[in-house]
Structure formats: structure tokens, C-alpha cells
Amino acid sequence: MTKVNSTPLILNGRHLADEVLNNISNEINLLKSKNKRIPGLAVVLVGDNPASLTYVNNKEKTSKKIGIYSEVHKLAVNVSETELIKQVKLLNNNKNIDGILVQLPLPAHIKSDKVIEQLDPNKDVDGLHPYNLGKLFSGQDCLVPCTPLGIMEILKHYSINLSGIHTVVIGRSTLVGKPLAALLLGKNATVTIAHSKTENIESVSRTADILISAVGKAKLIKSSWVKNDAIVIDVGINKVYENGISKSVGDVDFENVKSVCKAITPVPGGVGPMTIAMLMANTLKAYKKND
Ligand code: NAP
């Protein structure tokens, strides 16, 4: 593939997330100065999956940093579905809690769908309740899943035009790929969703003006998958060991792809920080609606 750019624009999600969090923090300080109740976020964690623990700790740390009231409910790995739903219902009725997030994945004996359906849709800050997903797909205002929302904010911040633009989203999960496709369509992008069964996926990817990968496979996307001057958004978070050291990399082979694309999100420092920032934004949005 012809080299068109040796230094693509780095789409800095960390800086943007700091800006978003700073604005939320200012709003909360204003609420405090008026002696108003502050927004509250509850995270429910089942078991002790190390990745989930890290995510939950980050969410709690960020909440506290910007002044959001935060509760973490840690339940044993063998908790029953009934007990978990009971906890969710308690939080639904808790007036100090505006946002509830059940950290996924849940252990195999619990049906995630069944638990998510019990959330009060107005407190569903992960945007995964069928009510919110239905609203999203019918183009109505709702709580939108945080990662797709964060990606849309990055595209907006960098004034990336979407109207009529061919976007290929690799990955069709309910958490990322599908809601992202709906959001992109809402901005008049032409959207192709690719997945593990897509034939000739490399050539499909190469047709993208904007290529978004949400797969979970380190270095899947090589320069041969990327059109010259395309914009690349890397959602993947993959743990790899290099020289005995564990680190996080995306789905995109960054060193290989950076010579071809016009702009790219790094991992870490791209979509990840925006996901947490959007969780805080959704909590504030839920607060405003619920208060
Ligand atoms: P997921 O539910 O496992 O979905 C992965 C998707 O990738 C599926 O649609 C799957 O296709 C597709 N896929 C798997 N192998 C493929 C291949 N070789 N070629 C093309 N498509 C393939 O994962 P997810 O929850 O959407 O997350 C995806 C990645 O994003 C993970 O690395 C996750 O850690 C990361 N993530 C990051 C953030 C963040 O804040 N940055 C947030 C959420 C997730 P099928 O449907 O056909 O199986």
C-alpha cells in the first residue's frame, strides 16, 4: 500500500475526555454551591474478574474525582440471579442513585439480558436496556451506550464529516457495533457492519472512508485493510505480553497502519477514556431527567 502520511493525526481521546470531565465537574460544583443533591452512580460487580475489577475501580475513581456520588456493590461470584435482581431493584428505588451499571460479563449461571431488563430504563447509564436500545434505533433521545457515544464525540470534536461517508464497523455486539451503526446512520453515514462471518473482510474494510474496529483481536487490522487516507477508530482492548511485560493494544496494528491512514485513535488514550467520560455524562443526564 502506498505511503501517504508518515504522521497521521492522532485523535486524542484522553484530552477530550479530560475536557468533558472538567465540564461535568464544574456543573457538579455549581449544584453543590446551591446545596442541591449531587448525581449518584452505583456499579454492581459480580465476582472478582481482574479486568472487571480494574474497570470498576476506574469508574469509581473518576466519579469521586469529578464529584459524582459513587457506590460499588460487590457480590460473590456464586450469587443467584434472584439476589442480583433484588440488588438492582433496591438501586432502582434509591433516590440518591441516578445511574446503575451492572458490570459485564456476568458469570455463566446468570442471564445478563434478564438482569438488564430489570433496570429502571431512566437509570440505565450503560444504555443496554431494550427500552433505550429501541429508542436509539428509532432515532429518539435516550441513554446511549457509552463506547459508541464516546466515538461519536471524538468524530464530532475533530469535525469529521459523516454525511454520505462510507463507514465500516467491524464487530456487531450490542455493546458497541450495533448501537454505533445506529448512531452513524443517524448522522447520514453509509454504514457497513462486518463480523466474523463476513467474506473478504479485508477488501470490505478497504472500502471504508472511516474504519472502526470493535473486535478484540490484537493487530487484526493491517495496512492492507485500510484505504489510503482513511480515518481509523480502534475500539479493541487486548492484553498482550511483549518481552515479558503485559500491555494493552488495540485491534489495529498501529505501527503498520499509521503510514496509510489520515487519522487514528491510539490504544491506550483513544476510545477508552471517552467511554468512562460518557458514563459520567450519562449519569449527569439521568440525574437531570430524574431530579
Ligand atoms: P464482542 O461482544 O466479543 O464482539 C466482538 C465482535 O467482533 C463480534 O461481532 C464478532 O463477530 C466480531 N469478530 C470476532 N472475530 C472477528 C474477526 N476475526 N473478524 C471480524 N470480526 C470478528 O466484543 P465487544 O464487547 O463488542 O468488544 C470488542 C472489543 O472492544 C474488545 O476488545 C473490548 O475489550 C473492546 N471494548 C473497548 C471499550 C473501550 O472503552 N475502548 C469498550 C467496550 C469494548 P460475531 O458477531 O460474528 O461473533
Side-chain angles (χ1 to χ4, degrees):
M1 186 149 287
T2 329
K3 181 171 170 157
V4 290
N5 266 320
S6 50
T7 51
L9 174 66
I10 302 297
L11 305 172
N12 193 326
R14 200 180 302 283
H15 278 178
L16 180 56
D18 284 347
E19 219 177 284
V20 171
L21 292 174
N22 198 33
N23 290 340
I24 298 174
S25 175
N26 289 341
E27 280 204 51
I28 292 173
N29 284 337
L30 201 65
L31 292 171
K32 283 183 185 160
S33 71
K34 292 179 182 166
N35 285 325
K36 291 211 170 166
R37 183 179 74 80
I38 55 170
L41 171 66
V43 178
V44 182
L45 173 66
V46 179
D48 51 9
N49 174 305
S52 294
L53 260 173
T54 306
Y55 292 139
V56 168
N57 286 341
N58 285 342
K59 286 163 189 171
E60 192 184 20
K61 218 168 84 188
T62 307
S63 302
K64 286 190 171 149
K65 194 170 144 198
I66 64 169
I68 284 182
Y69 168 70
S70 149
E71 285 181 4
V72 177
H73 297 265
K74 293 185 177 160
L75 305 179
V77 69
N78 59 355
V79 71
S80 68
E81 198 172 275
T82 314
E83 274 303 309
L84 175 56
I85 288 175
K86 209 162 124 190
Q87 178 63 69
V88 165
K89 286 184 173 169
L90 280 174
L91 293 167
N92 283 343
N93 294 322
N94 185 334
K95 296 259 181 290
N96 291 320
I97 295 299
D98 303 282
I100 308 167
L101 182 151
V102 178
Q103 184 66 44
L104 301 176
L106 291 170
H109 68 279
I110 298 175
K111 290 191 183 67
S112 307
D113 289 355
K114 221 171 142 188
V115 176
I116 301 292
E117 274 172 28
Q118 296 302 321
L119 284 169
D120 176 346
N122 292 322
K123 295 189 177 189
D124 167 38
V125 281
D126 240 354
L128 294 176
H129 190 287
Y131 174 85
N132 284 313
L133 287 173
K135 282 199 151 199
L136 172 62
F137 278 82
S138 57
Q140 297 175 56
D141 181 54
C142 61
L143 288 166
V144 173
C146 304
T147 302
L149 191 58
I151 294 168
M152 296 305 286
E153 284 298 314
I154 292 174
L155 296 172
K156 187 167 107 188
H157 178 77
Y158 285 95
S159 305
I160 294 169
N161 175 40
L162 292 170
S163 185
I165 296 298
H166 187 208
T167 305
V168 175
V169 178
I170 312 184
R172 56 174 164 178
S173 69
T174 307
L175 192 65
V176 188
K178 283 180 193 157
L180 180 59
L183 291 168
L184 291 164
L185 274 176
K187 294 290 176 197
N188 299 320
T190 301
V191 184
T192 298
I193 307 185
H195 45 78
S196 69
K197 306 288 187 292
T198 300
E199 291 186 0
N200 304 319
I201 193 162
E202 185 174 330
S203 19
V204 172
S205 301
R206 216 169 34 235
T207 62
D209 299 309
I210 301 176
L211 178 62
I212 305 178
S213 181
V215 172
K217 288 206 160 53
K219 298 189 179 180
L220 175 74
I221 314 291
K222 307 280 182 201
S223 61
S224 58
W225 292 48
V226 180
K227 182 158 101 177
N228 280 346
D229 264 353
I231 292 164
V232 179
I233 308 288
D234 191 354
V235 186
I237 300 177
N238 308 291
K239 278 263 174 278
V240 294
Y241 288 88
E242 273 175 21
N243 306 321
I245 297 165
S246 154
K247 62 175 194 169
S248 289
V249 300
D251 292 343
V252 178
D253 189 341
F254 186 88
E255 287 306 315
N256 189 252
V257 165
K258 72 176 187 190
S259 57
V260 177
C261 61
K262 182 159 75 181
I264 186 165
T265 56
V267 178
V271 176
M274 281 305 287
T275 297
I276 294 204
M278 291 303 104
L279 175 65
M280 302 301 139
N282 274 350
T283 304
L284 183 60
K285 179 175 176 159
Y287 166 88
K288 286 177 180 169
K289 194 164 179 204
N290 297 339
D291 207 43

